[in-house]
Amino acid sequence: MAIVTNDVVALTYKLHTIENGEKVFVEETTTENPLDFLYGVGMMLPKFEENIAGLNVGDTTAFELSAEDAYGEKDERAVAQLPADMFKETGLPPVGEVIPLQDNQGNQFRAVVVEVTPEVVVADLNHPMAGKSLHFEIEILNVRPATEEELSHGHSHGVDGTQGH
């Protein structure tokens, strides 16, 4: 069955970034713990989905996404200076730590701490993969039509459709 919109796709991937022309390993999934998602509803990067469109169970592919087609270029202005007293209860985070944040509309996101002073914690709000080209190696494990419940929820309920929330 070829992948089309509103299918649940399960796949394995190996992800590398491309840095100075060299592949740098980031992460991978396994057949025991694959990535599953509802295809064509905006859950995945559009160019990622474009590269797997029409593939069938057992197919493999490899492709590269430019930073522009992945998480965008790094925006040097996307930093926040957070008052150090925000961290009274938890203590000041170290440089490099990923911290959870929330905006005024309740949207949750993560930022990387890039500087810590007694007065302020400077956090980079860019996606961790911003500015990086991504190389994927994919194997399609399963393709099935989404259930009505998955379609109404807008996401997959697991490889076989039985996972709860």
Side-chain angles (χ1 to χ4, degrees):
M1 180 172 151
I3 298 170
V4 296
T5 298
N6 292 333
D7 278 346
V8 172
V9 177
L11 56 80
T12 59
Y13 69 85
K14 285 185 183 174
L15 171 61
H16 293 83
T17 56
I18 307 298
E19 299 176 28
N20 301 318
E22 299 289 320
K23 291 194 322 188
V24 177
F25 179 77
V26 176
E27 65 183 16
E28 68 182 307
T29 60
T30 64
T31 55
E32 296 79 25
N33 190 22
L35 169 66
D36 66 273
F37 62 96
L38 184 55
Y39 180 87
V41 298
M43 298 201 67
M44 302 299 290
L45 295 167
K47 291 289 185 179
F48 179 94
E49 288 193 343
E50 188 178 296
N51 277 279
I52 66 167
L55 294 180
N56 293 285
V57 173
D59 287 349
T60 60
T61 189
F63 56 89
E64 193 171 306
L65 299 181
S66 67
E68 181 180 309
D69 289 335
Y71 293 99
E73 295 298 338
K74 195 167 184 119
D75 181 352
E76 300 304 326
R77 299 167 297 159
V79 295
Q81 297 199 15
L82 308 170
D85 63 2
M86 248 178 86
F87 301 92
K88 280 182 187 170
E89 291 180 25
T90 58
L92 291 173
V95 169
E97 184 168 310
V98 177
I99 57 174
L101 296 174
Q102 182 172 315
D103 65 17
N104 294 337
Q105 289 76 42
N107 298 309
Q108 297 181 352
F109 55 97
R110 298 181 184 277
V112 177
V113 175
V114 293
E115 183 181 347
V116 178
T117 71
E119 298 80 32
V120 69
V121 172
V122 180
D124 181 349
L125 304 176
N126 285 288
H127 187 282
M129 294 287 162
K132 297 181 179 185
S133 293
L134 308 179
H135 177 84
F136 289 94
E137 296 170 27
I138 306 284
E139 180 179 2
I140 306 300
L141 301 178
N142 193 37
V143 179
R144 65 171 174 81
T147 65
E148 288 301 318
E149 185 177 33
E150 288 171 319
L151 293 172
S152 70
H153 290 181
H155 60 260
S156 165
H157 289 175
V159 174
D160 62 3
T162 61
Q163 279 182 351
H165 289 219

